[in-house]
């Protein structure tokens, strides 16, 4: 049997854990150097020395590959999809209502590990890419009024959410760490909405 044909048989891709890691390492290098938009599955495959189909088999879409590269244990579309369907005037409430329960439950361990890695100085560039190229593109373009303010608005929102994360999961401030996520979401939603759609000093 032709080994080449066997390697390409659907559902039985070749590769070991070393192959998976080589793909992931190649993805991290390219994402960090070029960002998400300018990195293709084909480029990652070429750097790793594998067929693009193998990258898709192990990691799915480019967004899923990026999530794996920065150790986010979910498909970013689980967050982006609902945000796309949310009216602009409701984003301030939707964001914490969507993110906090994820962080507080099944994703907590992986999320905290990623955050600690960021604080230690690793993966910062990749996480910044995710924030600026995924979240900023998805939300920033919708709240870019006046023009040029969208990216800054998203960064103000990010600073608020990261503050919650630090207080709740890293510093574990009491009683903040025990407050129900719904209560936190309701409390910070008006401020997030103001960042997104309210008057922004220095613009307009």
């Amino acid at each position: 049997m032709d080994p080449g044909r066997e390697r390409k048989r659907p559902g039985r891709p070749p590769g070991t854990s070393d192959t998976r890691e080589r793909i992931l390492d190649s993805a991290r290098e390219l994402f960090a150097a070029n960002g998400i938009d300018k990195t293709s599955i084909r480029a990652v495959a070429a750097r790793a020395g594998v067929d693009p189909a193998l990258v898709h088999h192990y990691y799915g879409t480019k967004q899923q590959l990026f999530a794996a590269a920065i150790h986010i244990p979910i498909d970013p579309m689980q967050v982006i999809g609902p945000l796309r369907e949310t009216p602009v005037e409701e984003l301030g409430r939707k964001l914490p209502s969507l993110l906090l329960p994820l962080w507080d439950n099944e994703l907590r361990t992986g999320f905290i590990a990623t955050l600690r890695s960021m604080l230690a100085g690793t993966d910062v560039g990749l996480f910044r890419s995710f924030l600026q190229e995924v979240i900023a593109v998805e939300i920033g373009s919708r709240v870019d009024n006046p023009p040029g303010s969208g990216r800054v608005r998203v960064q103000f929102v990010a600073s608020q959410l990261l503050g919650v994360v630090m207080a709740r999961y890293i510093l574990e401030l009491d009683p903040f760490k025990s407050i129900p996520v719904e209560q936190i979401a309701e409390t910070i939603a008006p401020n997030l909405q103001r960042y997104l759609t309210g008057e922004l000093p220095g613009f307009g």
Side-chain angles (χ1 to χ4, degrees):
M1 180 180 292
D2 182 351
R5 292 178 64 84
E6 174 66 21
R7 280 201 302 271
K8 294 182 180 179
R9 189 166 63 186
R12 297 200 51 184
T16 63
S17 58
D18 177 66
T19 304
R20 294 176 67 111
E21 283 303 311
R22 193 163 74 250
I23 292 171
L24 213 52
D25 287 342
S26 299
R28 288 191 186 106
E29 292 171 8
L30 289 174
F31 283 136
N34 305 323
I36 300 169
D37 248 4
K38 297 179 181 177
T39 298
S40 66
I41 291 289
R42 186 174 297 277
V44 171
R47 176 169 289 229
V50 301
D51 191 280
L54 194 59
V55 180
H56 283 296
H57 174 81
Y58 283 140
Y59 296 105
T61 66
K62 183 167 70 171
Q63 288 79 9
Q64 289 171 322
L65 175 61
F66 184 81
I70 61 172
H71 313 295
I72 296 179
I74 62 166
D75 181 349
M77 288 308 298
Q78 286 183 242
V79 174
I80 293 172
L83 290 179
R84 285 178 176 173
E85 299 172 2
T86 302
V88 169
E89 61 273 14
E90 297 176 14
L91 285 173
R93 188 174 307 278
K94 186 65 174 181
L95 272 167
S97 298
L98 188 64
L99 293 173
L100 289 175
L102 286 176
W103 295 340
D104 219 46
N105 294 308
E106 68 269 19
L107 304 185
R108 180 168 182 160
T109 301
F111 176 69
I112 299 306
T114 299
L115 190 61
R116 291 190 186 280
S117 176
M118 287 171 54
L119 294 174
T122 58
D123 289 341
V124 173
L126 290 173
F127 200 85
R128 184 185 300 118
S129 290
F130 177 73
L131 183 66
Q132 294 186 167
E133 295 187 43
V134 177
I135 301 300
V137 167
E138 291 296 331
I139 298 179
S141 60
R142 298 177 63 192
V143 296
D144 193 34
N145 183 27
S149 67
R151 184 174 291 266
V152 176
R153 290 182 183 279
V154 168
Q155 290 176 355
F156 270 109
V157 168
S159 70
Q160 176 88 73
L161 292 173
L162 287 176
V164 170
V165 167
M166 286 294 296
R168 188 173 179 86
Y169 305 112
I170 302 299
L171 300 177
E172 295 187 327
L173 298 181
D174 197 25
F176 189 75
K177 67 179 184 180
S178 302
I179 295 175
V181 292
E182 297 83 1
Q183 183 177 341
I184 294 176
E186 287 292 324
T187 302
I188 67 175
N191 206 35
L192 296 182
Q193 193 62 48
R194 182 174 65 84
Y195 288 149
L196 290 169
T197 56
E199 182 180 348
L200 196 65
F203 288 88

